[in-house]
Every structure is written in structure tokens, then in C-alpha cells.
Amino acid sequence: MAACFLLLCLLLLCIRFSSAEPFIGVNYGQVADNLPPASATAKLLQSTSIEKVRLYGADPAIIKALANTGIGIVIGAANGDIPALASDPNSAAQWINSNVLPFYPASNIILITVGNEVLTTNDPNLINQMLPAMQNMQNAVNGAKLGGKIKVSTVHSMAVLGQSDPPSSGSFVPSYQPALKGLLQFQKDNGSPFAINPYPFFAYESDSRPETLAFCLFQPNAGRVDSGNGIKYMNMFDAQVDAVHSALSSMGFKDVEIMVAETGWPYSGDSNEVGTSVENAKAYNGNLIAHLRSMVGTPLMPGKSVDTYIFALYDEDLKPGPGSERAFGLFKPDLSMTYDIGISKSSQTPSTPKTPVTPQPKPTSTGWCVPKAGVSDAQLQSSLDYACGQGIDCSPIQPGGACFEPNTIASHAAYAMNLYYQSSAKNPWNCDFSQTATLTSQNPSYNNCMYPGGST
């Protein structure tokens, strides 16, 4: 009986962890005058699959509201706090006493970021003070007997990379490397993540060709081959993250974990801003989450998903800059979704977007994803390459496989597109392929070639 009970406990534990998505987080910025109460935000987050929240400060109302939710909380010391933290260990101890100890462990604080994009301020005094500030903060954490439970890091802009294309050539700006060497040694010694802000949106802004948009939105595309190692990349996110990995490796820190502290796509912007639409924002964030859930990882870091914090939970209506800066929110102040990216636990019904999006049919009791009639071989080949590049098992359509015959692009693409859809969250956009696919209730299996699926 004892053995059976132990087995049952282990089984329940496995079910708990298999359903958890600890790699999905969100940024909670507060440069706004219309945000809902912290208690309402806590309830909203619990209704989603978001398991971590990053704050730019340490707002006690928010930290307290998240108590006993299990949601991981990242809190931050501002750039302006760095000089005092660096010069006085007591300042760091007081910071911990004020912002951590009153709330922990009921509020699950997991990481403290010391500064935000400090290197790219190019302020030599601030840069030189960053490592001492982080060391004092770590010592204060250790002094509170929270070492190993709460990590200490800082957040970087992608501009710390001087080279990122191709990903295998990723390297840091030479002038930042002396400071980075000390920071990375600290992070290696303390097991904290290298936090960085990759934004494929900004890459698209500087290269607004249609093929670049598809590459940035995780949509079917021809891919881009890394000339350094021959690896074909199918999306910009993986390329940017692997460029960071290469940069870390080039400095001897390949084992330092990468954390995506910010990434997102604006749903609106000024008239001169390219790519800002509900359709694109929904595609980027929805496909990003599907990619993370697949656990495929990146070509240089396969088989795991990096912790990723989407920017942002709400719009920040007081933020300066172009219109897009005020249009990253996944939710509105009234707690309704700006658009649906499949993170709600209770409903998969998309909210009405501000910009019309072509609706896709939803399956009822059965469903397979197949190409639409009249799609060109070139489009099908792009979809085939994309689907098989996402970590699904395409061996059945390879020579000798059960679905190799008929040996046509159309047949192979149909199998791969359906397998990709069945392996995903089965949201309508997972069977879109740049509007070349549709859902059907008719099973496309034939002979010994069995198409997975049928129930949703």
C-alpha cells in the first residue's frame, strides 16, 4: 500500500509539473494613470497561464497582492539606486529589509534586477558601480538567509551586442566587454540569469520586407541560413537569443542561463511606424507562446524554453515616445483582452480586435489542418520547411516513411502542416500558414499514412 501511495503521489506531481508553464512571464509597467487595482490584477493573472511577473520597481501593493498566488515575482532596483547600493552595504541591507522581508515567502520573490539597460546609458560611473551594487545586494540576500532562493541580476538591451548576424557570430560591443566580464563571473558564481530584451519588432522596423515580417512573426518563410555553421533559422526570436548565447560563449560563459526580460509587439502605432497592428501583435505573441510551449528550444539551445517575459501586461498611457510605446498591452485597464493569444485558463474565445482579422473556422468535435485549394508549390514548400523546422517528427514523409508516397510537395506539406497544428495549442492561428491552410472535419489519412488528430 505504501508503494502504491508513493506512486500515486509521484504521478500527481508529474501531472502538476507537466501542466505548468514556468517559462511564461509578463512585464508589469506602471507608467500610467489608469491601471486597475493590484488585487484585480492578481486575480487576472491567476486566470491565465502566466506564472511570473516582472516589476520595474518594488511596489508594495502589487507584491502584497500577489501573496499566496504562487506567481514568481521579479522586483527591481532603479538605475538611480545603484550609486548608494554600490557604496554602502547597509543601503543594500535596508533595500532587502524594506522590499523583500515584509512579503517573502508568501509573495514568491524570485529575482532582483539591479538597474535596467545600464551599459547602454554609456555612463562610465554608473557602469563601474553596477557590479559592486549587485555584489552588495547579493550579500544582503545572503545575510537574510535567502541565498539561492532569490537571485540577483541586471537587464540589458540587445544593443550590448556589436554583432548578432549570423547568430553564430554573436559578440558583445568591445567597449562593454570589460564590465561584462566581471558581471558574468558574478552571475556564473551565483547562478543568476543573463537578462536581455530582444525585440524582433525593432528588427522588422529596420528591414520591413514581407519575408522579414514572416520571419519575425514565426510564420512560414524560407528561413535564413547561418553562414557560420549552416543552421537554418526559421524565426527571428531564436536567431536573436542564439546570438546572445554565442556572445556569452565567446567570453567563456556559455553555461550562464539566458532570460528574456522583455519581448513583445505593439498592436498600434503612429502612421510612420511599420508593422504595428492587432493582427501582427497577436501573431507574434501567440506564436511565441506556442513556440515556448513546444519546448523545442533554439538551434543552439535545444530541448528547453528560455524564461520569457512578454511586454506588457497593460498599456502605459503616460509613456513618452512614438505611439507604439503606449500600445504593447495584452490587457486593457478594464481587464478585458486586447487580443487573445491563448493564455486564458477559462476561455479560448478571442476578444474583438480593433483591427479586423480574417476569422478562421474552428473545429467542432474533429479537426485536421490541411492546405487550401489552389495554393502554389512555392507556398507549400515554405509551409513544409517551416513546420518541419519547429521540432515535429517529419520522418513519415521522408524516403521509406509511411507518408512519403505520393512524393509531392502538396502531400508532404499537408502531413507536416497538420502535425504542426496537432502538436500546438490548436488555436486557429496554428492552422493559418499565412492564410494558406484551413481546418477540416474530413480525415485525410490514407493507406498506412495516418494523420494524427481528430479531437480538440
Side-chain angles (χ1 to χ4, degrees):
M1 283 297 292
C4 290
F5 179 76
L6 180 62
L7 187 63
L8 179 61
C9 288
L10 287 172
L11 181 61
L12 290 172
L13 196 62
C14 289
I15 291 171
R16 164 71 183 92
F17 281 105
S18 66
S19 63
E21 294 175 341
F23 41 79
I24 298 177
V26 71
N27 286 272
Y28 187 173
Q30 295 176 267
V31 187
D33 60 4
N34 60 352
L35 297 178
S39 57
T41 295
K43 289 179 181 177
L44 171 67
L45 290 168
Q46 288 180 283
S47 74
T48 73
S49 53
I50 295 168
E51 296 211 7
K52 296 179 180 177
V53 175
R54 178 186 168 215
L55 309 180
Y56 291 83
D59 187 317
I62 299 172
I63 298 172
K64 190 173 182 180
L66 292 170
N68 303 311
T69 62
I71 293 171
I73 308 166
V74 179
I75 58 176
N79 291 2
D81 296 330
I82 289 176
L85 291 170
S87 62
D88 183 6
N90 290 327
S91 177
Q94 183 56 47
W95 200 95
I96 295 296
N97 289 339
S98 299
N99 299 304
V100 176
L101 296 185
F103 313 106
Y104 187 90
S107 296
N108 184 25
I109 299 168
I110 56 174
L111 180 69
I112 299 168
T113 58
V114 178
N116 188 48
E117 301 188 351
V118 172
L119 288 181
T120 46
T121 65
N122 294 312
D123 179 337
N125 290 327
L126 201 60
I127 291 170
N128 290 334
Q129 291 171 322
M130 188 159 53
L131 179 56
M134 291 170 67
Q135 290 169 330
N136 283 341
M137 188 71 86
Q138 183 67 59
N139 290 336
V141 168
N142 295 344
K145 295 183 171 55
L146 297 175
K149 297 176 181 177
I150 299 177
K151 307 288 188 181
V152 176
S153 186
T154 189
V155 179
H156 302 284
S157 156
M158 277 293 284
V160 297
L161 268 68
Q163 177 77 27
S164 60
D165 186 25
S168 63
S169 72
S171 62
F172 294 111
V173 174
S175 62
Y176 296 149
Q177 291 186 19
L180 280 166
K181 187 173 182 181
L183 291 173
L184 290 169
Q185 188 61 54
F186 167 87
Q187 298 197 265
K188 181 180 180 181
D189 293 343
N190 291 283
S192 66
F194 182 81
I196 195 152
N197 299 337
Y199 277 91
F201 168 68
F202 295 131
Y204 175 63
E205 275 197 319
S206 63
D207 175 14
S208 54
R209 294 174 296 165
E211 57 266 37
T212 302
L213 182 61
F215 188 66
C216 288
L217 296 180
F218 300 86
Q219 291 177 335
N221 64 91
R224 298 183 180 183
V225 175
D226 185 317
S227 58
N229 56 21
I231 291 173
K232 179 185 278 192
Y233 282 82
M234 300 308 297
N235 66 79
M236 182 67 78
F237 179 83
D238 283 355
Q240 290 185 330
V241 171
D242 272 357
V244 176
H245 177 76
S246 295
L248 291 171
S249 297
S250 72
M251 290 188 64
F253 295 98
K254 66 181 177 66
D255 294 327
V256 171
E257 178 189 348
I258 296 171
M259 166 184 141
V260 173
E262 282 184 27
T263 191
W265 198 285
Y267 64 83
S268 179
D270 295 333
S271 58
N272 63 340
E273 293 188 273
V274 296
T276 57
S277 70
V278 167
E279 187 173 12
N280 288 345
K282 179 176 179 176
Y284 178 74
N285 287 319
N287 288 334
L288 170 62
I289 285 177
H291 184 51
L292 295 172
R293 284 172 171 164
S294 75
M295 299 298 284
V296 170
T298 71
L300 296 184
M301 296 182 291
K304 62 178 182 179
S305 290
V306 295
D307 280 7
T308 300
Y309 292 74
I310 295 174
F311 188 86
L313 183 59
Y314 302 115
D315 290 340
E316 295 176 87
D317 66 331
L318 300 181
K319 256 194 162 182
S324 60
E325 287 290 329
R326 296 174 291 282
F328 277 89
L330 299 177
F331 293 90
K332 301 173 186 176
D334 66 3
L335 307 179
S336 63
M337 286 182 283
T338 308
Y339 49 85
D340 186 4
I341 56 170
I343 56 173
S344 172
K345 290 177 181 175
S346 60
S347 172
Q348 296 295 318
T349 306
S351 58
T352 304
K354 295 178 182 176
T355 301
V357 178
T358 305
Q360 291 286 331
K362 272 202 164 186
T364 50
S365 59
T366 60
W368 291 264
C369 181
V370 296
K372 292 179 179 177
V375 177
S376 70
D377 277 359
Q379 289 173 299
L380 290 172
Q381 184 67 57
S382 175
S383 296
L384 172 61
D385 291 343
Y386 171 79
C388 290
Q390 299 303 301
I392 63 172
D393 179 14
C394 286
S395 60
I397 55 176
Q398 293 168 356
C403 303
F404 179 68
E405 296 292 347
N407 182 16
T408 64
I409 293 174
S411 179
H412 292 178
Y415 181 87
M417 292 159 77
N418 178 68
L419 184 57
Y420 171 80
Y421 171 72
Q422 302 297 340
S423 304
S424 72
K426 296 186 185 178
N427 290 302
W429 59 84
N430 300 131
C431 182
D432 180 70
F433 292 95
S434 297
Q435 301 183 0
T436 65
T438 188
L439 288 162
T440 179
S441 59
Q442 186 172 346
N443 190 339
S445 301
Y446 61 93
N447 300 336
N448 292 324
C449 176
M450 307 306 296
Y451 276 58
S455 60
T456 59

